[in-house]
Amino acid sequence: MLILGIESSCDETAASVCEDCRVIRSSVVSTQIEEHKKYGGVVPEIASRRHCENILGVVRKSLDDAKISLADLDGIAVTYAPGLIGALLVGVNFAKALAFAAEKPLIPVHHIAGHIAANYICHPDLEPPYLCIVASGAHSHLIEVLSYTKFRVIGRTRDDAAGECFDKCARAMGFPYPGGVHIDKAAESGNPSAFKLPRPIVAGSEFDFSFSGLKTSVINLLHHAEQKGESINKNDLSASVQSTIAEIITDKTMLAAERCGYKKIALAGGVSANSGIRSALSAACGDRGFDFYMPEKQLCGDNGAMIACQGSYNFIAGIRADESLNAAATLSLDEI
Ligand code: KG4
Ligand code: ZN
């Protein structure tokens, strides 16, 4: 079974061919980061235009690298939600036209389900059910992965996502966009106990997250230091931010695992590349005897392989889209 996966939800145009669900035959990612960096964040209209220019070349290369032609495919999978609407529409329309021309089934894929599926590529033994913590630029979710295609979201952020918090703190420290990776690097030589930063108390759902208080306190701390003419050690502040986010994520995930009875835990999403979060979750799972899974670093960020992999499982489950498929900027995994 050969499935083509197409991803264009944010600032990466990506395509991949996947064989029998978990074997990646090709993976092509064209990133726009350098262009958006100038503006300190993703400019949606620029993102759409670049997807439009790049998508055909990226898809053609993914077929060439896999040494197959369109006719060899069993289906064409595409991210249709959530994400930047103009960016998603480029991938959706392209996939629709390709499926029509090649007379292949069109398979809709939810972006977050794709991030989760990155773990299947890296861990041949991983099978649902398990608990997954998804942390990306726009989402922080605790998800019960009930089967390959059924999900229950049991916790979500009330305000900013973990990635947003990393990026805004990084920006306030003067790091370029996207700042998460710069905080990760600076934290390597910083003291995580140098700054006492707030841990949120979220009333209501015990599995929900909140990162805006942490973000605001870091921005205020830098602002006050600047007003007083004091300098802040960025390595120490980075290490403190990273360890606080890692602790919040780890504590909630362990609480949810214990309450819901999961002994198998996975991490996914762009923020899963963060070394502090990777080691904190890995240690906490180790202490409790839980099995812990995370994607290789190059599969943490947006890519086509995760969409091709999840698309394969959707295909097996009989999930198809027709010519009326539309993109959606927001759509919970619960609703699919
Ligand atoms: O999943 P993703 O590529 O895009 C979305 O679907 O949102 O996630 C991007 C996010 C950005 O906020 C980026 O700063 C963050 O992932 N990120 C990191 C690291 N690498 C990427 N955050 C912390 N540490 C990292 N090493
Ligand atoms: Zn993503």
Side-chain angles (χ1 to χ4, degrees):
M1 181 181 64
L2 291 170
I3 301 292
L4 170 69
I6 298 174
E7 157 65 35
S8 72
S9 67
C10 190
D11 56 353
E12 263 91 33
T13 320
S16 162
V17 174
C18 171
E19 183 173 356
D20 297 337
C21 299
R22 299 193 187 208
V23 180
I24 299 308
R25 291 270 297 259
S26 66
S27 182
V28 183
V29 181
S30 164
T31 183
Q32 309 170 3
I33 283 181
E34 283 309 313
E35 189 158 6
H36 297 292
K37 215 179 233 177
K38 290 182 246 164
Y39 307 97
V42 178
V43 181
E45 186 175 328
I46 294 177
S48 307
R49 288 171 186 272
R50 294 297 164 265
H51 287 309
C52 197
E53 289 163 10
N54 295 335
I55 196 159
L56 179 53
V58 166
V59 168
R60 182 181 282 142
K61 182 162 168 40
S62 74
L63 294 171
D64 290 348
D65 288 357
K67 299 188 172 38
I68 61 160
S69 67
L70 268 181
D72 300 317
L73 290 171
D74 291 284
I76 296 168
V78 64
T79 305
Y80 71 107
L84 300 172
I85 193 69
L88 287 164
L89 282 168
V90 175
V92 166
N93 249 335
F94 185 89
K96 220 190 262 194
L98 202 62
F100 171 70
E103 297 182 358
K104 301 290 176 185
L106 179 64
I107 309 156
V109 176
H110 190 284
H111 184 74
I112 302 297
H115 272 301
I116 296 170
N119 280 293
Y120 299 133
I121 300 166
C122 305
H123 305 287
D125 59 316
L126 177 61
E127 282 176 17
Y130 57 91
L131 181 71
C132 189
I133 166 77
V134 181
S136 73
H139 304 273
S140 299
H141 282 353
L142 266 168
I143 299 171
E144 289 184 82
V145 182
L146 306 170
S147 75
Y148 287 108
T149 54
K150 292 261 174 304
F151 309 87
R152 188 185 295 136
V153 180
I154 57 168
R156 60 184 82 227
T157 183
R158 297 282 181 89
D159 38 58
D160 295 341
E164 211 173 331
C165 182
F166 267 116
D167 292 346
K168 297 278 164 58
C169 291
R171 188 176 178 163
M173 282 188 254
F175 292 124
Y177 172 83
V181 68
H182 297 283
I183 291 197
D184 199 345
K185 192 96 201 81
E188 281 172 19
S189 33
N191 170 12
S193 315
F195 296 92
K196 192 104 202 84
L197 299 170
R199 272 87 175 141
I201 298 162
V202 188
S205 167
E206 57 185 348
F207 305 142
D208 277 357
F209 298 94
S210 166
F211 291 104
S212 71
L214 171 58
K215 174 191 75 181
T216 308
S217 89
V218 170
I219 292 170
N220 287 344
L221 195 147
L222 287 159
H223 191 61
H224 290 147
E226 194 187 339
Q227 281 182 332
K228 288 195 247 160
E230 291 169 5
S231 72
I232 294 264
N233 182 316
K234 284 189 199 172
N235 293 348
D236 285 349
L237 186 55
S238 294
S240 303
V241 169
Q242 179 167 297
S243 73
T244 306
I245 295 177
E247 196 181 298
I248 294 167
I249 285 179
T250 304
D251 288 354
K252 289 271 173 185
T253 307
M254 293 304 111
L255 179 71
E258 276 153 17
R259 290 279 160 81
C260 303
Y262 286 95
K263 293 187 178 338
K264 231 196 276 186
I265 315 293
L267 170 66
V271 179
S272 63
N274 183 265
S275 43
I277 296 175
R278 290 168 87 87
S279 56
L281 270 171
S282 168
C285 287
D287 288 347
R288 292 163 179 79
F290 296 166
D291 292 328
F292 178 58
Y293 302 86
M294 57 189 166
E296 285 163 17
K297 287 208 176 177
Q298 86 249 30
L299 285 175
C300 291
D302 293 346
N303 64 82
M306 67 188 201
I307 304 304
C309 174
Q310 183 59 33
S312 306
Y313 285 108
N314 286 1
F315 180 71
I316 290 170
I319 297 169
R320 303 282 185 275
D322 63 19
E323 60 198 33
S324 67
L325 178 67
N326 205 344
T330 54
L331 178 72
S332 173
L333 254 187
D334 281 324
E335 297 167 44
I336 63 171

